[in-house]
Amino acid sequence: MHVVCLIGTSRCGSTVLQAALAQFQDVTALGEVKRLSTLAARGALCGCGAKIEDCEIWGPQIAGFVAPKGGRLRMLGNALAVAAGAPLFPAEARAAQSLSRMLHAIDRSKPSRVFIDSSKDPDQLLLYANRPDITVIPVHIVRDPRGVVQSAGRRTGTSADVMARHWHRLNGATLMLRKMMPRLPWQSIRYEDFCADPMAVCRTILRAAGHDGPLRDHPAIDHTLGGSPGFSFAGIDTIRVENNWRETMPAQMQTTILRQSGWPARHFGYRMES
Ligand SMILES: [Zn+2]
Protein backbone atom coordinates (compact mmCIF):
# COMPACT_ATOMS: atom_id res chain seq x y z
CA MET A 1 0.00 0.00 0.00
CA HIS A 2 1.30 3.47 -0.94
CA VAL A 3 0.49 6.56 1.09
CA VAL A 4 1.42 10.07 -0.01
CA CYS A 5 1.82 11.99 3.24
CA LEU A 6 1.50 15.75 2.74
CA ILE A 7 3.44 17.91 5.19
CA GLY A 8 3.17 21.69 5.36
CA THR A 9 1.95 24.76 7.23
CA SER A 10 -1.65 25.95 7.27
CA ARG A 11 -2.61 27.74 4.06
CA CYS A 12 0.24 26.10 2.13
CA GLY A 13 -1.88 24.80 -0.76
CA SER A 14 -2.13 21.19 0.45
CA THR A 15 -5.90 21.08 -0.08
CA VAL A 16 -5.63 22.01 -3.75
CA LEU A 17 -2.67 19.66 -4.25
CA GLN A 18 -4.64 16.82 -2.68
CA ALA A 19 -7.68 17.60 -4.84
CA ALA A 20 -5.50 17.61 -7.97
CA LEU A 21 -3.91 14.24 -7.11
CA ALA A 22 -7.37 12.76 -6.51
CA GLN A 23 -8.25 13.46 -10.16
CA PHE A 24 -6.10 10.48 -11.13
CA GLN A 25 -7.49 6.97 -11.35
CA ASP A 26 -7.02 4.72 -8.32
CA VAL A 27 -5.94 7.63 -6.10
CA THR A 28 -8.03 8.24 -2.98
CA ALA A 29 -7.79 11.46 -0.98
CA LEU A 30 -8.40 10.92 2.74
CA GLY A 31 -7.86 14.45 4.06
CA GLU A 32 -6.67 15.19 7.59
CA VAL A 33 -6.70 11.62 8.88
CA LYS A 34 -5.01 12.64 12.11
CA ARG A 35 -8.06 14.63 13.18
CA LEU A 36 -10.62 11.83 12.67
CA SER A 37 -11.74 11.56 16.32
CA THR A 38 -11.65 15.32 16.96
CA LEU A 39 -13.69 16.10 13.85
CA ALA A 40 -16.15 13.27 14.48
CA ALA A 41 -16.65 14.37 18.12
CA ARG A 42 -17.38 17.88 16.90
CA GLY A 43 -20.07 16.57 14.53
CA ALA A 44 -18.09 17.76 11.48
CA LEU A 45 -19.02 16.62 7.98
CA CYS A 46 -17.05 14.36 5.67
CA GLY A 47 -16.39 15.70 2.16
CA CYS A 48 -19.30 13.50 0.98
CA GLY A 49 -21.70 15.69 2.99
CA ALA A 50 -22.58 13.08 5.64
CA LYS A 51 -21.66 13.48 9.29
CA ILE A 52 -18.34 11.69 9.75
CA GLU A 53 -19.95 9.15 12.08
CA ASP A 54 -22.55 8.37 9.38
CA CYS A 55 -20.10 8.27 6.44
CA GLU A 56 -19.75 4.78 4.93
CA ILE A 57 -15.96 5.14 4.80
CA TRP A 58 -15.16 6.81 8.12
CA GLY A 59 -18.08 5.86 10.37
CA PRO A 60 -16.92 2.26 10.93
CA GLN A 61 -13.36 3.45 11.68
CA ILE A 62 -14.00 5.86 14.53
CA ALA A 63 -14.21 3.29 17.36
CA GLY A 64 -10.81 1.71 16.60
CA PHE A 65 -8.92 4.94 15.92
CA VAL A 66 -6.01 5.68 18.27
CA ALA A 67 -4.61 9.23 18.11
CA PRO A 68 -0.86 9.67 18.74
CA LYS A 69 0.21 11.66 21.80
CA GLY A 70 2.41 14.08 19.87
CA GLY A 71 4.55 16.91 21.24
CA ARG A 72 7.90 18.11 20.05
CA LEU A 73 10.13 15.97 22.25
CA ARG A 74 8.19 12.83 21.45
CA MET A 75 8.48 13.67 17.77
CA LEU A 76 12.24 13.94 18.07
CA GLY A 77 12.43 10.64 19.98
CA ASN A 78 10.25 8.90 17.41
CA ALA A 79 12.25 10.41 14.53
CA LEU A 80 15.46 9.06 16.03
CA ALA A 81 13.77 5.67 16.43
CA VAL A 82 12.62 5.60 12.79
CA ALA A 83 16.08 6.69 11.60
CA ALA A 84 17.65 3.86 13.61
CA GLY A 85 15.03 1.28 12.60
CA ALA A 86 13.97 1.01 16.27
CA PRO A 87 10.35 0.85 17.54
CA LEU A 88 8.31 3.99 18.16
CA PHE A 89 7.23 5.00 21.67
CA PRO A 90 4.37 2.65 22.70
CA ALA A 91 1.66 5.32 22.30
CA GLU A 92 2.76 6.12 18.76
CA ALA A 93 3.29 2.44 17.93
CA ARG A 94 -0.37 1.82 18.90
CA ALA A 95 -1.44 4.83 16.82
CA ALA A 96 0.57 3.56 13.83
CA GLN A 97 -1.00 0.13 14.16
CA SER A 98 -4.52 1.54 14.27
CA LEU A 99 -3.76 3.78 11.28
CA SER A 100 -2.54 0.83 9.26
CA ARG A 101 -5.57 -1.28 10.26
CA MET A 102 -7.86 1.56 9.24
CA LEU A 103 -6.22 2.10 5.84
CA HIS A 104 -6.36 -1.59 5.02
CA ALA A 105 -10.08 -1.62 5.94
CA ILE A 106 -10.70 1.42 3.71
CA ASP A 107 -8.70 -0.25 0.93
CA ARG A 108 -10.95 -3.31 1.14
CA SER A 109 -14.10 -1.22 0.72
CA LYS A 110 -12.57 1.24 -1.76
CA PRO A 111 -9.51 -0.34 -3.42
CA SER A 112 -6.86 2.26 -4.31
CA ARG A 113 -3.29 2.22 -5.51
CA VAL A 114 -2.40 5.40 -3.70
CA PHE A 115 -3.92 7.10 -0.65
CA ILE A 116 -3.34 10.76 0.15
CA ASP A 117 -3.13 11.80 3.80
CA SER A 118 -3.19 15.59 4.13
CA SER A 119 -2.81 15.76 7.93
CA LYS A 120 0.18 18.03 7.14
CA ASP A 121 1.85 17.21 10.45
CA PRO A 122 5.39 15.74 10.48
CA ASP A 123 4.24 13.45 13.35
CA GLN A 124 1.91 11.68 10.97
CA LEU A 125 4.82 10.77 8.68
CA LEU A 126 6.58 9.03 11.57
CA LEU A 127 3.56 6.76 12.08
CA TYR A 128 3.70 5.62 8.48
CA ALA A 129 7.48 5.44 8.22
CA ASN A 130 7.74 2.63 10.73
CA ARG A 131 5.10 0.37 9.17
CA PRO A 132 6.49 -2.49 7.07
CA ASP A 133 3.15 -2.86 5.26
CA ILE A 134 3.04 0.77 4.04
CA THR A 135 5.29 2.57 1.56
CA VAL A 136 5.13 6.24 2.48
CA ILE A 137 6.02 9.07 0.12
CA PRO A 138 6.60 12.24 2.16
CA VAL A 139 5.62 15.35 0.21
CA HIS A 140 6.78 18.59 1.79
CA ILE A 141 4.74 21.44 0.33
CA VAL A 142 6.01 24.93 0.99
CA ARG A 143 4.44 28.27 0.16
CA ASP A 144 6.04 31.71 0.30
CA PRO A 145 5.60 32.79 3.95
CA ARG A 146 4.23 36.15 2.79
CA GLY A 147 1.44 34.33 0.95
CA VAL A 148 0.77 32.11 3.97
CA VAL A 149 0.58 35.12 6.29
CA GLN A 150 -1.81 36.99 4.04
CA SER A 151 -4.02 33.98 3.44
CA ALA A 152 -4.20 33.09 7.15
CA GLY A 153 -4.92 36.70 8.11
CA ARG A 154 -7.87 36.79 5.74
CA ARG A 155 -9.18 33.36 6.67
CA THR A 156 -8.79 33.26 10.43
CA GLY A 157 -7.39 36.62 11.48
CA THR A 158 -4.20 34.96 12.79
CA SER A 159 -1.44 37.54 13.29
CA ALA A 160 1.55 37.78 10.94
CA ASP A 161 3.86 37.15 13.87
CA VAL A 162 2.21 33.88 14.87
CA MET A 163 2.04 32.63 11.29
CA ALA A 164 5.66 33.46 10.43
CA ARG A 165 6.86 31.59 13.53
CA HIS A 166 4.62 28.63 12.71
CA TRP A 167 6.10 28.69 9.19
CA HIS A 168 9.66 28.66 10.54
CA ARG A 169 9.00 25.90 13.09
CA LEU A 170 7.13 23.50 10.84
CA ASN A 171 9.32 23.86 7.75
CA GLY A 172 12.51 23.78 9.84
CA ALA A 173 11.38 20.60 11.62
CA THR A 174 10.41 18.97 8.32
CA LEU A 175 13.78 19.77 6.73
CA MET A 176 15.47 18.22 9.76
CA LEU A 177 13.31 15.11 9.53
CA ARG A 178 14.31 14.82 5.90
CA LYS A 179 17.97 14.86 6.91
CA MET A 180 17.31 12.22 9.56
CA MET A 181 15.40 9.95 7.18
CA PRO A 182 17.20 10.23 3.85
CA ARG A 183 16.05 6.80 2.67
CA LEU A 184 12.43 7.87 2.27
CA PRO A 185 11.45 9.04 -1.23
CA TRP A 186 11.01 12.70 -0.19
CA GLN A 187 9.49 15.24 -2.57
CA SER A 188 9.73 18.97 -1.92
CA ILE A 189 7.28 21.16 -3.73
CA ARG A 190 6.90 24.90 -3.74
CA TYR A 191 3.23 25.87 -4.00
CA GLU A 192 4.19 28.47 -6.62
CA ASP A 193 5.88 25.82 -8.83
CA PHE A 194 2.93 23.47 -8.38
CA CYS A 195 0.52 26.17 -9.59
CA ALA A 196 2.75 26.88 -12.60
CA ASP A 197 2.49 23.25 -13.80
CA PRO A 198 0.13 21.23 -11.60
CA MET A 199 -0.08 18.30 -13.99
CA ALA A 200 3.70 17.75 -14.05
CA VAL A 201 3.95 18.01 -10.25
CA CYS A 202 1.09 15.51 -9.74
CA ARG A 203 2.70 13.05 -12.14
CA THR A 204 6.08 13.33 -10.39
CA ILE A 205 4.48 12.64 -6.99
CA LEU A 206 2.43 9.71 -8.27
CA ARG A 207 5.40 8.18 -10.08
CA ALA A 208 7.25 8.23 -6.75
CA ALA A 209 4.31 6.16 -5.49
CA GLY A 210 4.73 3.72 -8.38
CA HIS A 211 1.64 5.03 -10.16
CA ASP A 212 1.62 6.21 -13.75
CA GLY A 213 -2.11 6.06 -14.39
CA PRO A 214 -4.41 8.35 -16.36
CA LEU A 215 -6.85 10.95 -15.09
CA ARG A 216 -10.29 9.72 -14.03
CA ASP A 217 -13.18 9.93 -16.45
CA HIS A 218 -15.52 11.07 -13.67
CA PRO A 219 -14.65 12.72 -10.35
CA ALA A 220 -14.65 10.34 -7.37
CA ILE A 221 -16.96 10.88 -4.38
CA ASP A 222 -15.05 13.10 -1.99
CA HIS A 223 -14.53 11.52 1.45
CA THR A 224 -11.86 13.90 2.72
CA LEU A 225 -11.67 14.90 6.38
CA GLY A 226 -11.04 18.48 7.48
CA GLY A 227 -9.70 20.76 4.78
CA SER A 228 -10.51 24.37 4.08
CA PRO A 229 -14.12 25.39 4.69
CA GLY A 230 -15.79 26.49 1.48
CA PHE A 231 -13.11 24.90 -0.70
CA SER A 232 -14.38 23.69 -4.04
CA PHE A 233 -12.26 22.29 -6.82
CA ALA A 234 -13.05 23.10 -10.44
CA GLY A 235 -10.32 20.98 -12.06
CA ILE A 236 -6.56 20.91 -12.56
CA ASP A 237 -6.82 23.36 -15.49
CA THR A 238 -8.30 26.03 -13.23
CA ILE A 239 -5.46 26.11 -10.66
CA ARG A 240 -3.96 29.61 -10.39
CA VAL A 241 -1.34 30.85 -7.95
CA GLU A 242 -2.74 33.19 -5.29
CA ASN A 243 -0.02 35.73 -4.64
CA ASN A 244 -1.63 39.11 -4.57
CA TRP A 245 0.39 39.89 -1.43
CA ARG A 246 2.95 41.00 -4.03
CA GLU A 247 0.75 44.02 -4.84
CA THR A 248 -0.76 44.69 -1.43
CA MET A 249 1.82 43.88 1.25
CA PRO A 250 4.09 46.74 2.39
CA ALA A 251 7.81 46.07 1.86
CA GLN A 252 8.58 46.48 5.55
CA MET A 253 6.07 43.81 6.50
CA GLN A 254 7.54 41.49 3.87
CA THR A 255 11.02 41.99 5.32
CA THR A 256 9.79 41.21 8.83
CA ILE A 257 7.98 38.04 7.72
CA LEU A 258 11.01 36.79 5.80
CA ARG A 259 13.28 37.48 8.78
CA GLN A 260 10.96 35.59 11.16
CA SER A 261 10.64 32.72 8.71
CA GLY A 262 14.41 32.34 8.95
CA TRP A 263 16.70 29.83 7.25
CA PRO A 264 13.94 27.59 5.85
CA ALA A 265 12.67 30.57 3.82
CA ARG A 266 16.16 31.13 2.38
CA HIS A 267 16.49 27.40 1.75
CA PHE A 268 13.42 27.48 -0.49
CA GLY A 269 14.51 30.67 -2.28
CA TYR A 270 11.95 33.06 -0.75
CA ARG A 271 13.57 36.48 -0.57
CA MET A 272 12.76 40.15 -1.20
CA GLU A 273 13.69 40.14 -4.90
CA SER A 274 11.59 37.08 -5.67
ZN1 LIG B 1 -17.71 10.43 3.47
Side-chain angles (χ1 to χ4, degrees), residues 98-153:
S98 94
L99 186 60
S100 150
R101 235 185 353 247
M102 181 167 88
L103 258 63
H104 284 287
I106 294 175
D107 192 39
R108 280 192 294 276
S109 68
K110 204 173 156 53
S112 304
R113 291 187 56 179
V114 181
F115 288 103
I116 317 287
D117 179 332
S118 69
S119 298
K120 296 193 295 186
D121 187 333
D123 282 334
Q124 191 73 358
L125 168 64
L126 296 171
L127 301 186
Y128 288 119
N130 223 26
R131 293 295 311 178
D133 53 334
I134 293 177
T135 301
V136 67
I137 297 90
V139 174
H140 184 188
I141 172 163
V142 188
R143 180 178 182 184
D144 191 306
R146 293 162 288 189
V148 169
V149 163
Q150 186 180 66
S151 175

Side-chain angles (χ1 to χ4, degrees), residues 46-48 55 58 222-223:
C46 171
C48 66
C55 164
W58 294 112
D222 178 11
H223 285 291

Side-chain angles (χ1 to χ4, degrees), residues 3 63 119 137 156 195 211:
V3 177
S119 298
I137 297 90
T156 58
C195 293
H211 182 43

Side-chain angles (χ1 to χ4, degrees), residues 144 146 190 245-246 254 258 269-274:
D144 191 306
R146 293 162 288 189
R190 300 198 321 166
W245 57 265
R246 286 177 183 278
Q254 293 189 34
L258 286 173
Y270 296 126
R271 44 179 73 90
M272 278 313 276
E273 311 76 67
S274 67

